[in-house]
Amino acid sequence: MTTAVRSEFDRGIALTPHPGEPGRHGAELGAGWQIGGGVNGGLLLAVAGHALSLRSPAHPDPVSISGYYLSAARPGPATVSTELIREGRSLSTGTASLVQDGEERLRVLATYGDLAAFGDEVHTSAQPPVMPSPEQCIGVEHAPPSLVEQAALLERFDLRLDPATIGWALGEPSKQGRIQGWFKLADGREPDPLLLLLVADALPPVTFDLGLPGWAPTVELTVHLRAKPAPGWLRVSHATRNLAGGHFEEDAEIWDSTGRLVAQSRQLARAPRPQ
């Protein structure tokens, strides 16, 4: 009998219940999800989001989730504690706290529901980003070695960036503040709502396209999920319109293989320090 091998992402967000402590779980933050000196903010949000999904079985999917990053998380053990604030007929609201080495790393407030029960009706003026096919885009294997060295998580992705938005990798940023591309996990795991929390923070910081290299720590990240994603490639677009006071906003849209907008996000991040 063959035992199925779980995706690295599933192992990365795996939880171990604390006996006798409902809503409290142990997690192991892997070194393979590092970016710069800390664990990627999207992965941390997915860990907390996974814990919250276990609190209300009737409402398994994040609909709106906001994470506030209090300190940088490192590879190693962590604890996630959740509290169910309200459980209604169609939605539940809860909080989560991720603690490591006695220090809170992330505080989350989220609303959960059942995305499969929301229906397929769509009224939107949004359009998916226009870009070449994945085969015509630029993969991680072409990334500058210095970038991959600082972002171990890129080795977990099959990320194909739109050639029109990677001038920064050649020392020629467009200054338009946009990076977009195609996304899949390298091990072939298909997308689901928890993976979308990672994808919202998976592309290189959009400040790269402003001519500001270096990693940009997330202060706050909010993701709105609109539907369960279909299998296949995700199209992801990140953009910013304002950098002031040492901080910038980064807006993301995630489209599935059917051309449906399945998630939107906005984060506030610190601008990279001058090098």
Side-chain angles (χ1 to χ4, degrees):
M1 180 176 177
T2 301
T3 302
V5 177
R6 288 191 301 168
S7 164
E8 285 194 75
F9 175 71
D10 293 311
R11 294 197 297 271
I13 65 170
L15 299 169
T16 303
H18 282 211
E21 298 182 271
R24 188 174 171 86
H25 302 268
E28 185 69 29
L29 305 180
W33 299 101
Q34 281 184 281
I35 183 168
V39 176
N40 172 260
L43 190 280
L44 295 176
L45 193 64
V47 171
H50 183 201
L52 281 166
S53 72
L54 303 176
R55 289 309 303 257
S56 180
H59 304 140
D61 305 315
V63 175
S64 177
I65 182 167
S66 296
Y68 295 83
Y69 296 81
L70 308 177
S71 57
R74 310 296 182 187
T79 300
V80 185
S81 301
T82 62
E83 178 184 359
L84 186 62
I85 298 174
R86 181 183 183 276
E87 186 172 24
R89 286 186 296 179
S90 60
L91 296 172
S92 294
T93 300
T95 63
S97 174
L98 189 151
V99 175
Q100 186 180 54
D101 298 327
E103 187 172 357
E104 188 171 23
R105 307 298 193 191
L106 174 67
R107 178 73 62 91
V108 170
L109 176 64
T111 297
Y112 272 63
D114 183 356
L115 291 175
F118 281 11
D120 296 324
E121 187 176 14
V122 177
H123 297 282
T124 181
S125 61
Q127 296 293 324
V130 177
M131 53 188 175
S133 68
E135 294 74 22
Q136 295 174 303
C137 288
I138 308 301
V140 172
E141 67 273 13
H142 299 296
S146 59
L147 177 63
V148 177
E149 289 173 4
Q150 297 180 65
L153 81 167
L154 290 178
E155 298 179 11
R156 260 103 240 133
F157 301 163
D158 187 353
L159 181 62
R160 314 285 182 89
L161 295 180
D162 182 352
T165 67
I166 62 163
W168 49 269
L170 305 174
E172 300 176 357
S174 75
K175 303 296 182 74
Q176 297 300 306
R178 178 176 294 276
I179 297 177
Q180 59 190 29
W182 301 88
F183 179 96
K184 285 198 306 185
L185 285 177
D187 60 20
R189 182 195 190 276
E190 296 291 358
D192 64 8
L194 288 178
L195 180 61
L196 295 181
L197 304 183
L198 169 68
V199 178
D201 193 39
L203 269 59
V206 74
T207 41
F208 281 22
D209 192 48
L210 297 178
L212 297 173
W215 295 108
T218 302
V219 176
E220 185 268 345
L221 171 61
T222 294
V223 185
H224 294 162
L225 293 95
R226 301 307 183 89
K228 287 181 176 289
W233 286 101
L234 297 169
R235 271 182 280 188
V236 189
S237 175
H238 284 197
T240 186
R241 295 188 298 174
N242 188 59
L243 190 158
H247 295 81
F248 67 99
E249 92 284 349
E250 183 171 273
D251 293 316
E253 293 180 345
I254 305 172
W255 303 76
D256 73 5
S257 60
T258 70
R260 182 169 186 175
L261 182 63
V262 292
Q264 298 163 273
S265 71
R266 166 167 283 192
Q267 70 170 280
L268 180 70
R270 291 204 304 268
R273 293 186 176 93
Q275 296 184 348

PDB file of all heavy atoms in Angstrom, residues 149-183:
ATOM      1  N   GLU A 149      18.877  33.375  -2.961  1.00  0.00           N
ATOM      2  CA  GLU A 149      19.575  33.171  -1.693  1.00  0.00           C
ATOM      3  C   GLU A 149      18.801  33.792  -0.536  1.00  0.00           C
ATOM      4  O   GLU A 149      18.836  33.290   0.592  1.00  0.00           O
ATOM      5  CB  GLU A 149      20.980  33.772  -1.756  1.00  0.00           C
ATOM      6  CG  GLU A 149      21.943  32.987  -2.645  1.00  0.00           C
ATOM      7  CD  GLU A 149      23.264  33.713  -2.819  1.00  0.00           C
ATOM      8  OE1 GLU A 149      23.433  34.785  -2.185  1.00  0.00           O
ATOM      9  OE2 GLU A 149      24.120  33.228  -3.571  1.00  0.00           O
ATOM     10  N   GLN A 150      18.110  34.906  -0.790  1.00  0.00           N
ATOM     11  CA  GLN A 150      17.369  35.593   0.259  1.00  0.00           C
ATOM     12  C   GLN A 150      15.936  35.106   0.388  1.00  0.00           C
ATOM     13  O   GLN A 150      15.231  35.513   1.313  1.00  0.00           O
ATOM     14  CB  GLN A 150      17.339  37.100  -0.024  1.00  0.00           C
ATOM     15  CG  GLN A 150      18.698  37.773  -0.024  1.00  0.00           C
ATOM     16  CD  GLN A 150      18.573  39.248  -0.303  1.00  0.00           C
ATOM     17  OE1 GLN A 150      17.999  40.002   0.482  1.00  0.00           O
ATOM     18  NE2 GLN A 150      19.095  39.674  -1.433  1.00  0.00           N
ATOM     19  N   ALA A 151      15.505  34.249  -0.525  1.00  0.00           N
ATOM     20  CA  ALA A 151      14.100  33.839  -0.542  1.00  0.00           C
ATOM     21  C   ALA A 151      14.009  32.345  -0.827  1.00  0.00           C
ATOM     22  O   ALA A 151      13.718  31.924  -1.950  1.00  0.00           O
ATOM     23  CB  ALA A 151      13.332  34.644  -1.581  1.00  0.00           C
ATOM     24  N   ALA A 152      14.223  31.537   0.201  1.00  0.00           N
ATOM     25  CA  ALA A 152      14.174  30.088   0.038  1.00  0.00           C
ATOM     26  C   ALA A 152      12.814  29.625  -0.455  1.00  0.00           C
ATOM     27  O   ALA A 152      12.703  28.617  -1.155  1.00  0.00           O
ATOM     28  CB  ALA A 152      14.512  29.405   1.369  1.00  0.00           C
ATOM     29  N   LEU A 153      11.749  30.373  -0.126  1.00  0.00           N
ATOM     30  CA  LEU A 153      10.410  29.941  -0.506  1.00  0.00           C
ATOM     31  C   LEU A 153      10.220  29.913  -2.023  1.00  0.00           C
ATOM     32  O   LEU A 153       9.348  29.192  -2.525  1.00  0.00           O
ATOM     33  CB  LEU A 153       9.344  30.837   0.132  1.00  0.00           C
ATOM     34  CG  LEU A 153       9.002  32.179  -0.504  1.00  0.00           C
ATOM     35  CD1 LEU A 153       7.717  32.728   0.119  1.00  0.00           C
ATOM     36  CD2 LEU A 153      10.122  33.170  -0.362  1.00  0.00           C
ATOM     37  N   LEU A 154      11.033  30.655  -2.787  1.00  0.00           N
ATOM     38  CA  LEU A 154      10.893  30.654  -4.236  1.00  0.00           C
ATOM     39  C   LEU A 154      11.121  29.256  -4.816  1.00  0.00           C
ATOM     40  O   LEU A 154      10.592  28.923  -5.879  1.00  0.00           O
ATOM     41  CB  LEU A 154      11.854  31.648  -4.874  1.00  0.00           C
ATOM     42  CG  LEU A 154      11.558  33.133  -4.657  1.00  0.00           C
ATOM     43  CD1 LEU A 154      12.629  33.994  -5.307  1.00  0.00           C
ATOM     44  CD2 LEU A 154      10.181  33.507  -5.203  1.00  0.00           C
ATOM     45  N   GLU A 155      11.892  28.434  -4.129  1.00  0.00           N
ATOM     46  CA  GLU A 155      12.136  27.077  -4.598  1.00  0.00           C
ATOM     47  C   GLU A 155      10.902  26.195  -4.438  1.00  0.00           C
ATOM     48  O   GLU A 155      10.822  25.110  -5.021  1.00  0.00           O
ATOM     49  CB  GLU A 155      13.313  26.470  -3.833  1.00  0.00           C
ATOM     50  CG  GLU A 155      14.621  27.224  -4.054  1.00  0.00           C
ATOM     51  CD  GLU A 155      15.771  26.637  -3.269  1.00  0.00           C
ATOM     52  OE1 GLU A 155      15.595  25.522  -2.712  1.00  0.00           O
ATOM     53  OE2 GLU A 155      16.831  27.276  -3.195  1.00  0.00           O
ATOM     54  N   ARG A 156       9.913  26.645  -3.646  1.00  0.00           N
ATOM     55  CA  ARG A 156       8.658  25.922  -3.470  1.00  0.00           C
ATOM     56  C   ARG A 156       7.628  26.292  -4.538  1.00  0.00           C
ATOM     57  O   ARG A 156       6.580  25.704  -4.631  1.00  0.00           O
ATOM     58  CB  ARG A 156       8.062  26.286  -2.098  1.00  0.00           C
ATOM     59  CG  ARG A 156       8.328  25.257  -1.056  1.00  0.00           C
ATOM     60  CD  ARG A 156       9.413  25.594  -0.056  1.00  0.00           C
ATOM     61  NE  ARG A 156      10.432  24.550  -0.185  1.00  0.00           N
ATOM     62  CZ  ARG A 156      11.720  24.803  -0.271  1.00  0.00           C
ATOM     63  NH1 ARG A 156      12.169  26.017  -0.204  1.00  0.00           N
ATOM     64  NH2 ARG A 156      12.571  23.827  -0.440  1.00  0.00           N
ATOM     65  N   PHE A 157       7.930  27.316  -5.341  1.00  0.00           N
ATOM     66  CA  PHE A 157       6.963  27.848  -6.298  1.00  0.00           C
ATOM     67  C   PHE A 157       7.351  27.514  -7.731  1.00  0.00           C
ATOM     68  O   PHE A 157       8.533  27.417  -8.061  1.00  0.00           O
ATOM     69  CB  PHE A 157       6.885  29.379  -6.204  1.00  0.00           C
ATOM     70  CG  PHE A 157       6.491  29.923  -4.863  1.00  0.00           C
ATOM     71  CD1 PHE A 157       6.728  31.262  -4.560  1.00  0.00           C
ATOM     72  CD2 PHE A 157       5.893  29.124  -3.901  1.00  0.00           C
ATOM     73  CE1 PHE A 157       6.370  31.786  -3.337  1.00  0.00           C
ATOM     74  CE2 PHE A 157       5.533  29.645  -2.666  1.00  0.00           C
ATOM     75  CZ  PHE A 157       5.769  30.981  -2.384  1.00  0.00           C
ATOM     76  N   ASP A 158       6.342  27.362  -8.581  1.00  0.00           N
ATOM     77  CA  ASP A 158       6.530  27.448 -10.029  1.00  0.00           C
ATOM     78  C   ASP A 158       5.957  28.806 -10.411  1.00  0.00           C
ATOM     79  O   ASP A 158       4.770  28.955 -10.689  1.00  0.00           O
ATOM     80  CB  ASP A 158       5.789  26.314 -10.738  1.00  0.00           C
ATOM     81  CG  ASP A 158       6.099  26.280 -12.233  1.00  0.00           C
ATOM     82  OD1 ASP A 158       6.769  27.208 -12.729  1.00  0.00           O
ATOM     83  OD2 ASP A 158       5.651  25.336 -12.915  1.00  0.00           O
ATOM     84  N   LEU A 159       6.804  29.810 -10.354  1.00  0.00           N
ATOM     85  CA  LEU A 159       6.396  31.197 -10.559  1.00  0.00           C
ATOM     86  C   LEU A 159       6.944  31.682 -11.889  1.00  0.00           C
ATOM     87  O   LEU A 159       8.144  31.591 -12.135  1.00  0.00           O
ATOM     88  CB  LEU A 159       6.936  32.056  -9.404  1.00  0.00           C
ATOM     89  CG  LEU A 159       6.615  33.541  -9.401  1.00  0.00           C
ATOM     90  CD1 LEU A 159       5.117  33.781  -9.322  1.00  0.00           C
ATOM     91  CD2 LEU A 159       7.318  34.225  -8.221  1.00  0.00           C
ATOM     92  N   ARG A 160       6.070  32.185 -12.761  1.00  0.00           N
ATOM     93  CA  ARG A 160       6.465  32.675 -14.087  1.00  0.00           C
ATOM     94  C   ARG A 160       6.068  34.144 -14.185  1.00  0.00           C
ATOM     95  O   ARG A 160       4.871  34.464 -14.286  1.00  0.00           O
ATOM     96  CB  ARG A 160       5.765  31.862 -15.181  1.00  0.00           C
ATOM     97  CG  ARG A 160       5.780  30.344 -14.993  1.00  0.00           C
ATOM     98  CD  ARG A 160       7.114  29.731 -15.307  1.00  0.00           C
ATOM     99  NE  ARG A 160       7.075  28.271 -15.165  1.00  0.00           N
ATOM    100  CZ  ARG A 160       6.745  27.434 -16.144  1.00  0.00           C
ATOM    101  NH1 ARG A 160       6.424  27.896 -17.340  1.00  0.00           N
ATOM    102  NH2 ARG A 160       6.741  26.132 -15.933  1.00  0.00           N
ATOM    103  N   LEU A 161       7.033  35.030 -14.141  1.00  0.00           N
ATOM    104  CA  LEU A 161       6.745  36.462 -14.130  1.00  0.00           C
ATOM    105  C   LEU A 161       6.611  37.017 -15.544  1.00  0.00           C
ATOM    106  O   LEU A 161       7.335  36.626 -16.469  1.00  0.00           O
ATOM    107  CB  LEU A 161       7.835  37.213 -13.372  1.00  0.00           C
ATOM    108  CG  LEU A 161       7.952  36.909 -11.870  1.00  0.00           C
ATOM    109  CD1 LEU A 161       9.067  37.730 -11.241  1.00  0.00           C
ATOM    110  CD2 LEU A 161       6.626  37.165 -11.145  1.00  0.00           C
ATOM    111  N   ASP A 162       5.690  37.948 -15.698  1.00  0.00           N
ATOM    112  CA  ASP A 162       5.460  38.636 -16.963  1.00  0.00           C
ATOM    113  C   ASP A 162       6.738  39.397 -17.341  1.00  0.00           C
ATOM    114  O   ASP A 162       7.222  40.223 -16.565  1.00  0.00           O
ATOM    115  CB  ASP A 162       4.297  39.618 -16.785  1.00  0.00           C
ATOM    116  CG  ASP A 162       3.930  40.362 -18.055  1.00  0.00           C
ATOM    117  OD1 ASP A 162       4.653  40.246 -19.060  1.00  0.00           O
ATOM    118  OD2 ASP A 162       2.911  41.084 -18.023  1.00  0.00           O
ATOM    119  N   PRO A 163       7.312  39.146 -18.531  1.00  0.00           N
ATOM    120  CA  PRO A 163       8.546  39.847 -18.927  1.00  0.00           C
ATOM    121  C   PRO A 163       8.425  41.361 -18.878  1.00  0.00           C
ATOM    122  O   PRO A 163       9.421  42.058 -18.644  1.00  0.00           O
ATOM    123  CB  PRO A 163       8.783  39.355 -20.361  1.00  0.00           C
ATOM    124  CG  PRO A 163       8.099  38.036 -20.434  1.00  0.00           C
ATOM    125  CD  PRO A 163       6.891  38.161 -19.550  1.00  0.00           C
ATOM    126  N   ALA A 164       7.201  41.885 -19.055  1.00  0.00           N
ATOM    127  CA  ALA A 164       7.016  43.339 -19.052  1.00  0.00           C
ATOM    128  C   ALA A 164       7.185  43.946 -17.665  1.00  0.00           C
ATOM    129  O   ALA A 164       7.300  45.170 -17.541  1.00  0.00           O
ATOM    130  CB  ALA A 164       5.635  43.687 -19.609  1.00  0.00           C
ATOM    131  N   THR A 165       7.215  43.100 -16.610  1.00  0.00           N
ATOM    132  CA  THR A 165       7.294  43.639 -15.250  1.00  0.00           C
ATOM    133  C   THR A 165       8.539  43.179 -14.497  1.00  0.00           C
ATOM    134  O   THR A 165       8.564  43.237 -13.267  1.00  0.00           O
ATOM    135  CB  THR A 165       6.035  43.243 -14.444  1.00  0.00           C
ATOM    136  OG1 THR A 165       6.011  41.823 -14.235  1.00  0.00           O
ATOM    137  CG2 THR A 165       4.766  43.674 -15.149  1.00  0.00           C
ATOM    138  N   ILE A 166       9.574  42.735 -15.214  1.00  0.00           N
ATOM    139  CA  ILE A 166      10.781  42.286 -14.506  1.00  0.00           C
ATOM    140  C   ILE A 166      12.018  43.074 -14.933  1.00  0.00           C
ATOM    141  O   ILE A 166      13.141  42.601 -14.781  1.00  0.00           O
ATOM    142  CB  ILE A 166      11.036  40.781 -14.702  1.00  0.00           C
ATOM    143  CG1 ILE A 166      11.273  40.453 -16.182  1.00  0.00           C
ATOM    144  CG2 ILE A 166       9.911  39.952 -14.116  1.00  0.00           C
ATOM    145  CD1 ILE A 166      11.914  39.100 -16.374  1.00  0.00           C
ATOM    146  N   GLY A 167      11.828  44.285 -15.430  1.00  0.00           N
ATOM    147  CA  GLY A 167      12.989  45.120 -15.754  1.00  0.00           C
ATOM    148  C   GLY A 167      13.886  45.337 -14.557  1.00  0.00           C
ATOM    149  O   GLY A 167      15.108  45.509 -14.706  1.00  0.00           O
ATOM    150  N   TRP A 168      13.307  45.315 -13.343  1.00  0.00           N
ATOM    151  CA  TRP A 168      14.090  45.521 -12.123  1.00  0.00           C
ATOM    152  C   TRP A 168      15.192  44.466 -11.973  1.00  0.00           C
ATOM    153  O   TRP A 168      16.247  44.743 -11.403  1.00  0.00           O
ATOM    154  CB  TRP A 168      13.183  45.482 -10.896  1.00  0.00           C
ATOM    155  CG  TRP A 168      12.259  44.316 -10.843  1.00  0.00           C
ATOM    156  CD1 TRP A 168      10.985  44.230 -11.330  1.00  0.00           C
ATOM    157  CD2 TRP A 168      12.535  43.016 -10.290  1.00  0.00           C
ATOM    158  NE1 TRP A 168      10.449  42.982 -11.124  1.00  0.00           N
ATOM    159  CE2 TRP A 168      11.386  42.215 -10.486  1.00  0.00           C
ATOM    160  CE3 TRP A 168      13.639  42.455  -9.656  1.00  0.00           C
ATOM    161  CZ2 TRP A 168      11.302  40.896 -10.069  1.00  0.00           C
ATOM    162  CZ3 TRP A 168      13.568  41.134  -9.235  1.00  0.00           C
ATOM    163  CH2 TRP A 168      12.415  40.366  -9.441  1.00  0.00           C
ATOM    164  N   ALA A 169      14.948  43.242 -12.484  1.00  0.00           N
ATOM    165  CA  ALA A 169      15.955  42.177 -12.376  1.00  0.00           C
ATOM    166  C   ALA A 169      17.165  42.463 -13.252  1.00  0.00           C
ATOM    167  O   ALA A 169      18.241  41.892 -13.039  1.00  0.00           O
ATOM    168  CB  ALA A 169      15.342  40.835 -12.761  1.00  0.00           C
ATOM    169  N   LEU A 170      17.002  43.353 -14.217  1.00  0.00           N
ATOM    170  CA  LEU A 170      18.087  43.740 -15.124  1.00  0.00           C
ATOM    171  C   LEU A 170      18.618  45.132 -14.806  1.00  0.00           C
ATOM    172  O   LEU A 170      19.377  45.708 -15.591  1.00  0.00           O
ATOM    173  CB  LEU A 170      17.572  43.697 -16.576  1.00  0.00           C
ATOM    174  CG  LEU A 170      16.963  42.370 -17.035  1.00  0.00           C
ATOM    175  CD1 LEU A 170      16.371  42.513 -18.429  1.00  0.00           C
ATOM    176  CD2 LEU A 170      18.008  41.270 -16.996  1.00  0.00           C
ATOM    177  N   GLY A 171      18.190  45.666 -13.659  1.00  0.00           N
ATOM    178  CA  GLY A 171      18.619  47.009 -13.278  1.00  0.00           C
ATOM    179  C   GLY A 171      17.859  48.105 -13.993  1.00  0.00           C
ATOM    180  O   GLY A 171      18.289  49.258 -13.998  1.00  0.00           O
ATOM    181  N   GLU A 172      16.701  47.751 -14.583  1.00  0.00           N
ATOM    182  CA  GLU A 172      15.904  48.726 -15.326  1.00  0.00           C
ATOM    183  C   GLU A 172      14.446  48.668 -14.870  1.00  0.00           C
ATOM    184  O   GLU A 172      13.552  48.292 -15.638  1.00  0.00           O
ATOM    185  CB  GLU A 172      16.003  48.462 -16.828  1.00  0.00           C
ATOM    186  CG  GLU A 172      17.414  48.556 -17.373  1.00  0.00           C
ATOM    187  CD  GLU A 172      17.483  48.200 -18.844  1.00  0.00           C
ATOM    188  OE1 GLU A 172      16.445  47.816 -19.427  1.00  0.00           O
ATOM    189  OE2 GLU A 172      18.582  48.286 -19.421  1.00  0.00           O
ATOM    190  N   PRO A 173      14.150  49.043 -13.623  1.00  0.00           N
ATOM    191  CA  PRO A 173      12.761  49.016 -13.156  1.00  0.00           C
ATOM    192  C   PRO A 173      11.906  49.993 -13.950  1.00  0.00           C
ATOM    193  O   PRO A 173      12.366  51.066 -14.329  1.00  0.00           O
ATOM    194  CB  PRO A 173      12.875  49.432 -11.692  1.00  0.00           C
ATOM    195  CG  PRO A 173      14.149  50.216 -11.605  1.00  0.00           C
ATOM    196  CD  PRO A 173      15.078  49.576 -12.599  1.00  0.00           C
ATOM    197  N   SER A 174      10.650  49.620 -14.172  1.00  0.00           N
ATOM    198  CA  SER A 174       9.765  50.472 -14.975  1.00  0.00           C
ATOM    199  C   SER A 174       9.293  51.698 -14.208  1.00  0.00           C
ATOM    200  O   SER A 174       8.828  52.661 -14.806  1.00  0.00           O
ATOM    201  CB  SER A 174       8.549  49.671 -15.440  1.00  0.00           C
ATOM    202  OG  SER A 174       7.629  49.474 -14.370  1.00  0.00           O
ATOM    203  N   LYS A 175       9.343  51.645 -12.864  1.00  0.00           N
ATOM    204  CA  LYS A 175       8.848  52.698 -11.971  1.00  0.00           C
ATOM    205  C   LYS A 175       7.333  52.818 -12.012  1.00  0.00           C
ATOM    206  O   LYS A 175       6.773  53.796 -11.517  1.00  0.00           O
ATOM    207  CB  LYS A 175       9.506  54.047 -12.300  1.00  0.00           C
ATOM    208  CG  LYS A 175      11.027  54.059 -12.251  1.00  0.00           C
ATOM    209  CD  LYS A 175      11.545  53.798 -10.861  1.00  0.00           C
ATOM    210  CE  LYS A 175      13.070  53.849 -10.808  1.00  0.00           C
ATOM    211  NZ  LYS A 175      13.611  55.205 -10.900  1.00  0.00           N
ATOM    212  N   GLN A 176       6.663  51.808 -12.587  1.00  0.00           N
ATOM    213  CA  GLN A 176       5.198  51.815 -12.620  1.00  0.00           C
ATOM    214  C   GLN A 176       4.593  51.171 -11.372  1.00  0.00           C
ATOM    215  O   GLN A 176       3.398  51.294 -11.123  1.00  0.00           O
ATOM    216  CB  GLN A 176       4.705  51.060 -13.867  1.00  0.00           C
ATOM    217  CG  GLN A 176       5.109  51.696 -15.176  1.00  0.00           C
ATOM    218  CD  GLN A 176       4.564  53.106 -15.307  1.00  0.00           C
ATOM    219  OE1 GLN A 176       3.369  53.343 -15.173  1.00  0.00           O
ATOM    220  NE2 GLN A 176       5.462  54.049 -15.570  1.00  0.00           N
ATOM    221  N   GLY A 177       5.402  50.465 -10.608  1.00  0.00           N
ATOM    222  CA  GLY A 177       4.904  49.846  -9.386  1.00  0.00           C
ATOM    223  C   GLY A 177       3.992  48.666  -9.632  1.00  0.00           C
ATOM    224  O   GLY A 177       2.944  48.548  -8.975  1.00  0.00           O
ATOM    225  N   ARG A 178       4.367  47.759 -10.528  1.00  0.00           N
ATOM    226  CA  ARG A 178       3.542  46.591 -10.816  1.00  0.00           C
ATOM    227  C   ARG A 178       4.431  45.382 -11.117  1.00  0.00           C
ATOM    228  O   ARG A 178       5.399  45.491 -11.863  1.00  0.00           O
ATOM    229  CB  ARG A 178       2.617  46.837 -12.008  1.00  0.00           C
ATOM    230  CG  ARG A 178       1.764  45.612 -12.385  1.00  0.00           C
ATOM    231  CD  ARG A 178       0.800  45.938 -13.506  1.00  0.00           C
ATOM    232  NE  ARG A 178      -0.192  46.902 -13.062  1.00  0.00           N
ATOM    233  CZ  ARG A 178      -1.303  46.594 -12.401  1.00  0.00           C
ATOM    234  NH1 ARG A 178      -1.559  45.319 -12.122  1.00  0.00           N
ATOM    235  NH2 ARG A 178      -2.153  47.515 -12.034  1.00  0.00           N
ATOM    236  N   ILE A 179       4.075  44.244 -10.530  1.00  0.00           N
ATOM    237  CA  ILE A 179       4.689  42.955 -10.835  1.00  0.00           C
ATOM    238  C   ILE A 179       3.554  41.947 -10.970  1.00  0.00           C
ATOM    239  O   ILE A 179       2.644  41.924 -10.129  1.00  0.00           O
ATOM    240  CB  ILE A 179       5.681  42.509  -9.746  1.00  0.00           C
ATOM    241  CG1 ILE A 179       6.846  43.493  -9.648  1.00  0.00           C
ATOM    242  CG2 ILE A 179       6.209  41.104 -10.037  1.00  0.00           C
ATOM    243  CD1 ILE A 179       7.849  43.165  -8.541  1.00  0.00           C
ATOM    244  N   GLN A 180       3.575  41.132 -12.023  1.00  0.00           N
ATOM    245  CA  GLN A 180       2.518  40.157 -12.205  1.00  0.00           C
ATOM    246  C   GLN A 180       3.068  38.897 -12.851  1.00  0.00           C
ATOM    247  O   GLN A 180       4.154  38.910 -13.448  1.00  0.00           O
ATOM    248  CB  GLN A 180       1.386  40.733 -13.054  1.00  0.00           C
ATOM    249  CG  GLN A 180       1.797  41.185 -14.442  1.00  0.00           C
ATOM    250  CD  GLN A 180       0.700  41.974 -15.137  1.00  0.00           C
ATOM    251  OE1 GLN A 180      -0.131  42.644 -14.495  1.00  0.00           O
ATOM    252  NE2 GLN A 180       0.642  41.883 -16.456  1.00  0.00           N
ATOM    253  N   GLY A 181       2.325  37.806 -12.702  1.00  0.00           N
ATOM    254  CA  GLY A 181       2.790  36.552 -13.271  1.00  0.00           C
ATOM    255  C   GLY A 181       1.835  35.415 -13.001  1.00  0.00           C
ATOM    256  O   GLY A 181       0.734  35.596 -12.473  1.00  0.00           O
ATOM    257  N   TRP A 182       2.277  34.223 -13.375  1.00  0.00           N
ATOM    258  CA  TRP A 182       1.541  32.980 -13.174  1.00  0.00           C
ATOM    259  C   TRP A 182       2.110  32.244 -11.978  1.00  0.00           C
ATOM    260  O   TRP A 182       3.325  32.245 -11.756  1.00  0.00           O
ATOM    261  CB  TRP A 182       1.660  32.090 -14.408  1.00  0.00           C
ATOM    262  CG  TRP A 182       1.159  32.688 -15.676  1.00  0.00           C
ATOM    263  CD1 TRP A 182       1.854  33.454 -16.566  1.00  0.00           C
ATOM    264  CD2 TRP A 182      -0.160  32.557 -16.222  1.00  0.00           C
ATOM    265  NE1 TRP A 182       1.059  33.807 -17.630  1.00  0.00           N
ATOM    266  CE2 TRP A 182      -0.183  33.270 -17.453  1.00  0.00           C
ATOM    267  CE3 TRP A 182      -1.321  31.894 -15.808  1.00  0.00           C
ATOM    268  CZ2 TRP A 182      -1.308  33.345 -18.256  1.00  0.00           C
ATOM    269  CZ3 TRP A 182      -2.450  31.960 -16.609  1.00  0.00           C
ATOM    270  CH2 TRP A 182      -2.436  32.683 -17.811  1.00  0.00           C
ATOM    271  N   PHE A 183       1.226  31.566 -11.217  1.00  0.00           N
ATOM    272  CA  PHE A 183       1.673  30.893  -9.988  1.00  0.00           C
ATOM    273  C   PHE A 183       1.093  29.484  -9.910  1.00  0.00           C
ATOM    274  O   PHE A 183      -0.099  29.256 -10.128  1.00  0.00           O
ATOM    275  CB  PHE A 183       1.219  31.675  -8.761  1.00  0.00           C
ATOM    276  CG  PHE A 183       1.629  31.039  -7.450  1.00  0.00           C
ATOM    277  CD1 PHE A 183       2.776  31.449  -6.793  1.00  0.00           C
ATOM    278  CD2 PHE A 183       0.866  30.021  -6.891  1.00  0.00           C
ATOM    279  CE1 PHE A 183       3.163  30.846  -5.596  1.00  0.00           C
ATOM    280  CE2 PHE A 183       1.238  29.409  -5.703  1.00  0.00           C
ATOM    281  CZ  PHE A 183       2.390  29.829  -5.052  1.00  0.00           C
TER     282      PHE A 183
END
